[in-house]
């Protein structure tokens, strides 16, 4: 046997992920087709990434056309497709400028650096600390695990990057107490995804906005997961009646192509002059084609009306499941198509049982199973998913009754 053949029988992937033993070779809308031909209903969307489902014709065409022309030129040169995407994102948001990168963590890094630089550029270089919230998730780089602040992500990686002060979610007094002479800003997810699909009241966000205005702090929204339509509006903060100074986007931004962005007002971005930040791949032509194509679809009239109708239908059907199987699931949470069902049984058991019924879901904190269908999911597919969930609830409920 050749060396090559041998390497195929062993797994040389760094084992940092607890992967399910299933692989897919094709996707069609909300469906994933496994290597053995089994069809799965994909309510993960690649963790809130494939917002337009798999193999969306408009995205496939845009990427194929771009792939035949030019992939990458670097940021040594102008990239008109990137200028176009930045203009479009700014037109539909609070922002004046956009920086493109390749992931959510990088988008958050840009936000963190920008907040610090904003204070420095305004003569307050001592203000570098950011207030963050318990249960947050901001990424896996050294700075973003420090911002995330959870021991399970920090353990064994040396002293956490300095400059993050964590307070309980929704505790305004704790925020006020945490503001000191070194505070630069506040970082929050409009709806915590990894943390268990939970959010404080809109009034809390309005109070944060006021605190930032009163104390010359920047407000940063991490919309890496919630942004690009996931919660039923293009950005989750639209529902809050509050705009941030800086915002991170990534997951669904390229519809499955890896990309991230840091959007900001020109006031917040004032210190980010040539040479202060950068990325080799960020804003690459393939990513820009994917981003523009994703926006083309999402900005079509009524796109979000349909997402909101799907959300309502899914939530109603889930509420009825919760009513009927209270020994398996206890609560439905979330906005738009970022839905969490709080499990009574271990969430991993529920998620595994759902996978056996060919419905794919994602775990989250607080024993929650996340349902993140592509935004293009239709009524039939929602009904199909809920009947799969019901079959699993019947089984798990029986198993508990027997135990
Ligand atoms: C996924 C996520 C990140 C990190 O994104 P990566 O692309 O994995 O680096 C950051 N913030 C939030 C809210 C996320 O959901």
């Amino acid at each position: 046997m050749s060396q090559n053949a041998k390497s195929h029988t062993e797994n040389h992937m760094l084992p940092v992920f607890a992967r399910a033993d299933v692989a897919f070779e094709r996707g069609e809308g909300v469906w994933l087709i496994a290597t053995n031909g089994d069809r799965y209903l994909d309510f993960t969307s690649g963790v809130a990434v494939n917002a337009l489902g798999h193999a969306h014709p408009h995205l496939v065409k845009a990427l194929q056309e771009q792939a035949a022309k030019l992939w990458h030129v670097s940021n040594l040169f102008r990239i008109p497709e990137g200028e176009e995407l930045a203009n479009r994102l700014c037109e539909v948001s609070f922002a004046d400028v956009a920086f493109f990168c390749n992931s959510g963590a990088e988008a958050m890094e840009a936000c963190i650096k920008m907040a610090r630089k904003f204070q420095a550029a305004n003569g307050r270089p001592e203000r570098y600390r950011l207030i963050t919230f318990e249960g947050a998730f901001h990424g896996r780089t050294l700075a973003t695990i420090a911002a995330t602040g959870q021991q399970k992500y920090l353990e064994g990686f040396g002293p956490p990057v300095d400059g993050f002060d964590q307070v309980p979610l929704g505790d305004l007094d704790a925020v006020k107490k945490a503001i000191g002479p070194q505070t630069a800003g506040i970082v929050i997810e409009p709806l915590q995804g990894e943390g268990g699909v939970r959010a404080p009241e809109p009034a809390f966000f309005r109070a944060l906005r006021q605190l930032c205005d009163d104390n010359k702090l920047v407000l940063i929204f991490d919309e890496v997961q919630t942004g690009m339509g996931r919660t039923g509006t293009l950005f989750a903060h639209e529902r809050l009646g509050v705009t941030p100074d800086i915002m991170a986007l990534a997951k669904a931004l390229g519809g499955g192509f890896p990309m991230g962005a840091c959007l900001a007002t020109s006031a917040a971005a004032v210190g980010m002059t040539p040479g202060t930040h950068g990325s080799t791949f960020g804003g690459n032509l393939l990513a820009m084609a994917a981003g523009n194509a994703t926006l083309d679809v999402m900005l079509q009239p009524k796109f979000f009306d349909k997402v909101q109708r799907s959300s309502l239908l899914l939530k109603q059907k889930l509420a009825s499941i919760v009513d009927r199987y209270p020994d398996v699931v206890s609560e439905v949470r979330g906005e738009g198509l970022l839905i969490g069902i709080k499990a009574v049984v271990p969430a991993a058991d529920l998620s595994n049982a759902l996978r056996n019924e060919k419905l794919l879901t994602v775990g989250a904190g607080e024993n929650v199973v996340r349902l993140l269908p592509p935004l293009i999911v239709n009524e039939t597919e929602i009904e199909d998913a809920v009947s799969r969930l019901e079959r699993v609830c019947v089984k798990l409920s029986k198993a508990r009754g027997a135990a």
Side-chain angles (χ1 to χ4, degrees), residues 37-67:
D38 285 350
R39 291 173 67 86
Y40 287 76
L41 202 43
D42 181 13
F43 274 40
T44 69
S45 300
V47 195
V49 168
N50 306 97
L52 303 179
H54 301 283
H56 189 287
H58 185 67
L59 267 61
V60 170
K61 183 163 174 282
L63 212 47
Q64 280 176 339
E65 282 177 5
Q66 187 58 49

Side-chain angles (χ1 to χ4, degrees), residues 47-49 102-108 136-141 144 148 188-195 221-226 248-251 258-260 338 370:
V47 195
V49 168
N102 314 287
S103 68
E106 272 179 90
M108 278 308 300
F137 183 78
H138 298 300
R140 299 291 202 137
T141 61
T144 56
T148 295
I188 189 166
E189 295 154 83
L191 174 62
Q192 287 187 348
E194 305 301 313
F221 283 170
D222 180 346
E223 290 231 28
V224 168
Q225 184 156 166
T226 54
L249 295 175
K251 291 194 163 85
M259 62 182 295
L338 205 181
R370 264 177 298 174

Side-chain angles (χ1 to χ4, degrees), residues 240-278:
L240 303 175
V242 172
T243 57
D245 303 293
I246 307 175
M247 171 170 74
L249 295 175
K251 291 194 163 85
L253 187 56
F257 197 92
M259 62 182 295
C262 166
L263 268 56
T265 63
S266 39
V270 67
M272 303 304 282
T273 52
T276 53
H277 193 53

Side-chain angles (χ1 to χ4, degrees), residues 46-336:
V47 195
V49 168
N50 306 97
L52 303 179
H54 301 283
H56 189 287
H58 185 67
L59 267 61
V60 170
K61 183 163 174 282
L63 212 47
Q64 280 176 339
E65 282 177 5
Q66 187 58 49
K69 281 196 286 190
L70 197 59
W71 291 17
H72 178 88
V73 293
S74 87
N75 290 302
L76 296 171
F77 310 104
R78 285 185 66 173
I79 300 175
E81 295 81 353
E83 292 173 15
E84 184 193 346
L85 182 57
N87 289 348
R88 294 174 79 188
L89 287 170
C90 289
E91 207 166 287
V92 294
S93 73
F94 68 94
D96 302 308
V97 287
F99 170 80
F100 294 114
C101 51
N102 314 287
S103 68
E106 272 179 90
M108 278 308 300
E109 288 270 348
C111 294
I112 294 164
K113 286 178 72 176
M114 187 184 283
R116 291 180 173 194
K117 199 73 162 180
F118 162 81
Q119 297 294 358
N122 282 289
R124 304 184 291 266
E126 72 285 359
R127 290 188 170 268
Y128 71 97
R129 306 191 68 82
L130 293 168
I131 294 169
T132 63
F133 293 92
E134 286 172 8
F137 183 78
H138 298 300
R140 299 291 202 137
T141 61
L142 285 168
T144 56
I145 55 175
T148 295
Q150 294 183 44
Q151 205 47 39
K152 65 174 175 181
Y153 299 119
L154 288 161
E155 186 67 46
F157 295 117
V161 170
D162 180 38
F164 299 95
D165 299 307
Q166 197 157 68
V167 300
L169 186 63
D171 187 339
L172 197 61
D173 284 334
V175 176
K176 286 180 188 161
K177 280 200 199 104
I179 296 174
Q182 296 184 325
T183 304
I186 300 174
V187 184
I188 189 166
E189 295 154 83
L191 174 62
Q192 287 187 348
E194 305 301 313
V197 190
R198 47 177 217 148
E201 293 300 309
F204 181 71
F205 292 90
R206 289 196 287 274
L208 293 183
R209 177 72 274 175
Q210 193 61 48
L211 276 178
C212 286
D213 294 343
D214 294 347
N215 294 281
K216 299 194 171 88
L217 309 179
V218 289
L219 182 59
I220 301 173
F221 283 170
D222 180 346
E223 290 231 28
V224 168
Q225 184 156 166
T226 54
M228 305 313 292
R230 182 46 58 188
T231 68
T233 46
L234 188 60
F235 306 115
H237 69 258
E238 291 172 33
R239 193 176 52 84
L240 303 175
V242 172
T243 57
D245 303 293
I246 307 175
M247 171 170 74
L249 295 175
K251 291 194 163 85
L253 187 56
F257 197 92
M259 62 182 295
C262 166
L263 268 56
T265 63
S266 39
V270 67
M272 303 304 282
T273 52
T276 53
H277 193 53
S279 164
T280 298
F281 289 122
N284 160 307
L285 282 150
L286 292 174
M288 297 301 100
N292 275 308
T294 302
L295 259 193
D296 290 344
V297 177
M298 289 190 184
L299 295 183
Q300 274 166 15
K302 307 255 178 0
F303 180 86
F304 289 110
D305 293 349
K306 180 162 175 286
V307 175
Q308 284 164 16
R309 278 201 306 278
S310 299
S311 167
L312 203 62
L313 179 70
L314 179 57
K315 279 193 189 175
Q316 281 168 347
K317 292 196 168 284
L318 291 174
S320 141
I321 297 276
V322 166
D323 282 345
R324 281 177 295 137
Y325 304 95
D327 55 340
V328 184
V329 287
S330 64
E331 188 191 335
V332 182
R333 308 172 164 187
E335 293 291 333

